[in-house]
Amino acid sequence: QVQLVESGGGLVQAGGSLTLSCVASGGIFTNYGMGWYRQAPGKQRELVAEITPGGFTNSADSVKGRVTISLDNTKKTVQMELSSLSTEDTAVYYCHADADSFDYGLGVARAMEFWGQGTQVTVSS
């Protein structure tokens, strides 16, 4: 089964930057797009940035101009850099992927959605 493993979260000072990485491992994982969502306390999970299989990127208005997202297809890794951090960026960040994979439960190959376990990012003022 495919797993997404995140790294790079932690405590960061306001005005600083962070880099989050996520690697997909195990199972079949092709034709994939990857990205990052976040969920702050008491708020809904929201898209931060994503990159499609064709290399097109999309990001939330709140991070435009501050975010860079890249995909390494040889390593099945997505990396996101977020700069000029503020306390409003404090959240749990989740890696997300849409990919063609094998559903062992159904015994068929199909488009599937995967989530990482989440990594906490705390921005201190």
Side-chain angles (χ1 to χ4, degrees):
Q1 293 281 18
V2 173
Q3 288 187 320
L4 302 181
V5 179
E6 302 135 334
S7 61
L11 180 64
V12 186
Q13 286 194 334
S17 61
L18 64 83
T19 299
L20 299 179
S21 296
C22 173
V23 59
S25 63
I28 297 169
F29 191 76
T30 62
N31 191 32
Y32 51 89
M34 299 181 75
W36 291 90
Y37 284 69
R38 67 186 180 186
Q39 187 166 19
K43 295 187 177 181
Q44 289 189 333
R45 191 174 296 189
E46 62 175 6
L47 172 71
V48 181
E50 62 184 351
I51 183 164
T52 69
F56 294 101
T57 61
N58 180 41
S59 60
D61 289 341
S62 61
V63 301
K64 275 186 167 58
R66 303 192 291 125
V67 68
T68 302
I69 188 167
S70 60
L71 186 62
D72 185 336
N73 286 299
T74 61
K75 298 180 180 179
K76 296 181 181 178
T77 298
V78 63
Q79 184 168 281
M80 180 178 73
E81 299 175 33
L82 190 58
S83 61
S84 300
L85 293 166
S86 73
T87 56
E88 294 187 355
D89 294 312
T90 294
V92 178
Y93 284 71
Y94 295 92
C95 182
H96 173 264
D98 291 304
D100 292 337
S101 188
F102 189 81
D103 187 324
Y104 290 91
L106 296 177
V108 298
R110 65 180 183 90
M112 297 180 70
E113 183 178 39
F114 302 94
W115 290 93
Q117 78 282 2
T119 183
Q120 176 69 45
V121 172
T122 302
V123 183
S124 63
S125 59

